[in-house]
Amino acid sequence: MFDVLVYLYETYWRPDACPDHAQLTRKLASVGFETDEIREALSWLDGLAAAAESHVGTQGAQSLRVYSPAEQEHLGEASIGFISFLESAGVLPPPMREMVIDRASAIPGGPVDLEDLKIIVLMVFWSLGEEPDALILDELFVDEDERLIH
């Protein structure tokens, strides 16, 4: 599913640039994605669109997020730490944080892999028509093992 999401992010600038589900399904299948993978991704994107609509106009007031034990188990320590890092850096306001948590919670299994969480964060920005700044994009795309320390 995450490969489909990355493909959509790289291919379409905004969600409204995507064709309807039927046409998009055909296009994704012609590129080589499996039917189940496409169906999962499109269902996940429908949930993302619903979350984006419900957060439109929500103020970015400061808030403290307390994770339930179930959320802690599902998200995992690394993912919660990364969400906290983005919040403290001022790039993930509370409404977007809640969208990230909602969409991460929609992923079966757990804990959520950090690389998968980064894709979720990227897709939340994408769904709202926002582009994270260059440093955050670097954080989302570059694997820690591949980073050069200057």
Side-chain angles (χ1 to χ4, degrees):
M1 176 184 87
F2 288 101
D3 291 336
V4 173
L5 296 176
V6 169
Y7 176 84
L8 293 174
Y9 179 84
E10 291 175 344
T11 305
Y12 300 102
W13 290 99
R14 294 177 50 110
D16 56 2
C18 290
D20 63 59
H21 274 14
Q23 187 177 359
L24 186 56
T25 298
R26 286 190 301 274
K27 179 171 176 113
L28 291 169
S30 71
V31 174
F33 292 108
E34 298 291 325
T35 304
D36 290 343
E37 199 175 19
I38 295 168
R39 189 178 12 253
E40 264 184 58
L42 293 181
S43 175
W44 189 89
L45 283 172
D46 287 341
L48 179 61
E53 283 180 26
S54 70
H55 285 87
V56 170
T58 304
Q59 296 298 317
Q62 294 298 320
S63 67
L64 173 65
R65 180 60 152 90
V66 178
Y67 294 89
S68 72
E71 288 173 327
Q72 290 176 25
E73 185 177 328
H74 185 76
L75 293 172
E77 190 176 312
S79 292
I80 291 173
F82 188 71
I83 292 169
S84 296
F85 161 73
L86 293 175
E87 281 186 279
S88 67
V91 297
L92 193 67
M96 288 178 72
R97 174 197 64 214
E98 294 306 312
M99 287 178 66
V100 168
I101 294 168
D102 174 70
R103 293 292 73 212
S105 297
I107 304 300
V112 174
D113 184 71
L114 183 57
E115 295 307 310
D116 292 344
L117 182 81
K118 289 178 179 184
I119 294 169
I120 292 169
V121 170
L122 193 62
M123 295 307 292
V124 166
F125 275 96
W126 180 77
S127 73
L128 297 172
E130 297 183 23
E131 180 150 343
D133 67 29
L135 291 175
I136 296 305
L137 276 175
D138 181 54
E139 193 65 39
L140 294 172
F141 278 121
V142 178
D143 191 14
E144 285 185 23
D145 297 337
E146 297 175 12
R147 269 201 190 117
L148 295 177
I149 299 176
H150 298 284

